[in-house]
Amino acid sequence: MKQPSPPAHCTFEPDDWLRLARCWHPVARLCDVGPAPMKAVLLDEQLVIYRINEQIVAAKDVCPHRGVPLTLGFHDEHGIICPYHGLRFGEDGRCNRIPSSPNQPVPAKLNLINFPVEVRFGLVWVCLAPDADNPAALPQMPHWEDAGFQQITCPPFDVAGFAGRQVEGFLDVAHFAWVHSETFADPGNQEVPPYNPVETEYGFTVDYWSSVSNFAAGSDRQAPEGFQWLRHFEMHLPFTATLTVHFPDAARLVIMNAASPVSARKTRMFAPIARNFDLHIPVEEVHAFNHRVFEEDRLMVETQMPERLPLDLTLEAHIPADRSSIAYRRGLKKQGYGDFFLV
């Protein structure tokens, strides 16, 4: 089988693009995908996403006939339709209608170039270059399917920055007091207690204990005096992490930070949430609060220099609170990513 190659005008180095293309990345919320052609971009690859007979199809956004983007088209009950000559594409991206030659057998060359799709955590995941000998595993999310937990899939959030920088910010525990004081953190609680990442087959985990509350700023609710908050991180390389926050009284909040690399300079953030408390609060309020938290991070991620992530640890200074950041960079380096992560 011919090895997949990066699209034209790709912003990634070819070797790094292929490594990333072998992984699963989210491209849409399942609730946003319908029978109409929907546009998505992953690793600079233009995609068309649509639903047909309960199947989700992800394919190159190009009609095999004359190269028109299918996302400019429309649909009927049998598939999506190219606006140029009316060719129609249904299940598995197969062409099922040529209006100008209705009696001609449809050649296989007219079928779309489609990609493997998985639906998990309310998201549509795509793998552009699956490795049959060593298939990538989908990231996992604690408590998503557990009884008593509400499942929420927040609207996507776009960042004009590199996915690696955004993920590193999600793992960072030293910025709470400086960046998130308007949403949950105490600006006077700045010290970061020691913690140690533990390497796993998919990345690493971290148990971070501190007195930093996760109740919303200004909330009347407070943890008991002396309560220690546990934040359990699970990093699934390269760009997906989960955070499980242990609240008082066995309450749990799980946030997935799935940073989808649109390009080397653009990221679409997806954030499924699972929780077993405050189930009466409308999901719209959860969406709004989550958006505020990520909005607080935006300026930091979009203005960091270099734009990409230095995997050579000698190129930036580090402090003890950076243990997760260092583990993240070492994990990516171990997987073989190269100078792409530098400007």
Side-chain angles (χ1 to χ4, degrees), residues 26 28-30 119-125 139-145 150-157 170 239-244 253-260 268-275 286-287 290 294:
R29 295 191 301 173
L30 179 61
V119 175
R120 197 79 59 87
F121 317 122
L123 303 178
V124 175
W125 300 74
Q140 299 300 307
M141 182 172 178
H143 298 303
W144 179 260
E145 296 180 349
Q150 182 183 28
Q151 301 170 342
I152 302 171
T153 308
C154 297
F157 182 85
F170 182 79
F239 298 142
T240 300
T242 62
L243 166 61
T244 303
L253 170 69
V254 186
I255 305 168
M256 173 176 276
N257 183 101
S260 185
R268 172 154 284 195
M269 255 292 305
F270 294 92
I273 291 175
R275 64 179 185 178
V286 180
H287 293 169
N290 189 71
F294 283 117

Side-chain angles (χ1 to χ4, degrees), residues 107-158:
K109 197 170 183 178
L110 282 179
N111 295 335
L112 301 183
I113 299 174
N114 59 349
F115 303 102
V117 170
E118 291 282 352
V119 175
R120 197 79 59 87
F121 317 122
L123 303 178
V124 175
W125 300 74
V126 170
C127 182
L128 296 180
D131 184 344
D133 296 326
N134 188 27
L138 273 163
Q140 299 300 307
M141 182 172 178
H143 298 303
W144 179 260
E145 296 180 349
D146 289 357
F149 277 79
Q150 182 183 28
Q151 301 170 342
I152 302 171
T153 308
C154 297
F157 182 85
D158 292 329

Side-chain angles (χ1 to χ4, degrees), residues 220-242:
D220 294 333
R221 301 167 67 182
Q222 296 295 327
E225 185 174 352
F227 182 80
Q228 287 292 297
W229 292 78
L230 171 60
R231 290 174 171 86
H232 174 74
F233 293 89
E234 297 183 14
M235 182 65 229
H236 298 261
L237 297 170
F239 298 142
T240 300
T242 62

Side-chain angles (χ1 to χ4, degrees), residues 173-206:
V173 293
H175 77 291
F176 293 166
W178 303 97
V179 178
H180 295 302
S181 60
E182 294 295 319
T183 49
F184 67 88
D186 176 2
N189 192 344
Q190 302 168 9
E191 185 174 353
V192 174
Y195 66 93
N196 290 297
V198 177
E199 187 175 357
T200 66
E201 62 181 356
Y202 52 81
F204 61 90
T205 63
V206 169

Side-chain angles (χ1 to χ4, degrees), residues 42 88 91 111 122 159 166 251 299:
L42 174 61
R88 186 177 62 199
E91 292 182 1
N111 295 335
V159 178
Q166 192 282 328
L299 182 63

